[in-house]
Amino acid sequence: MGQLAFLKMFIIVAISLDVNDNRRHVHVFRKGTRHMRSLAKIWIESNGEKCVEIAESELSTKENNMLTDAINRHWDYINEQITKTFNGEKTVAIDLEK
């Protein structure tokens, strides 16, 4: 699992086992929780083109909007880090609030 970014109380990650999924996406977890269960899955592309949208989520509309807005702003970086995760390379997580 490659940590890609932090945003407030959330960690945005890519999971290397997702390499064969039909659309690139990230998973969102809450920082500091003992049970690592994805709270949201966010598509970042469709047919190879940038397309950020919620696939599934247990979060509020406000939290979903905050996450999708941040992913849109940092899309190139996040997409590059997903590629690194899939290639088994080390990722560098950034703080999306800065």
Side-chain angles (χ1 to χ4, degrees):
M1 180 164 60
Q3 292 187 2
L4 310 178
F6 303 100
L7 181 62
K8 298 196 182 288
M9 73 288 287
F10 299 112
I11 302 170
I12 300 169
V13 304
I15 300 174
S16 58
L17 296 175
D18 291 341
V19 69
N20 294 320
D21 282 5
N22 60 347
R23 289 178 71 181
R24 277 194 173 202
H25 60 276
V26 295
H27 293 272
V28 178
F29 296 88
R30 192 171 306 276
K31 286 184 194 175
T33 57
R34 286 187 157 168
H35 304 286
M36 292 299 286
R37 183 174 56 83
S38 178
L39 299 173
K41 179 178 179 179
I42 302 174
W43 301 121
I44 70 155
E45 63 83 30
S46 180
N47 296 319
E49 299 294 323
K50 180 180 177 180
C51 179
V52 179
E53 59 187 4
I54 301 296
E56 54 191 59
S57 177
E58 298 177 12
L59 303 172
S60 70
T61 300
K62 182 179 179 180
E63 291 169 325
N64 286 330
N65 289 339
M66 175 186 65
L67 287 159
T68 56
D69 289 348
I71 291 168
N72 266 309
R73 284 193 314 275
H74 299 278
W75 188 86
D76 290 327
Y77 182 82
I78 289 170
N79 194 41
E80 175 184 297
Q81 295 303 302
I82 290 171
T83 298
K84 286 185 175 187
T85 298
F86 291 168
N87 290 337
E89 299 172 27
K90 183 177 179 183
T91 59
V92 178
I94 61 170
D95 186 344
L96 299 184
E97 289 187 275
K98 295 182 178 179

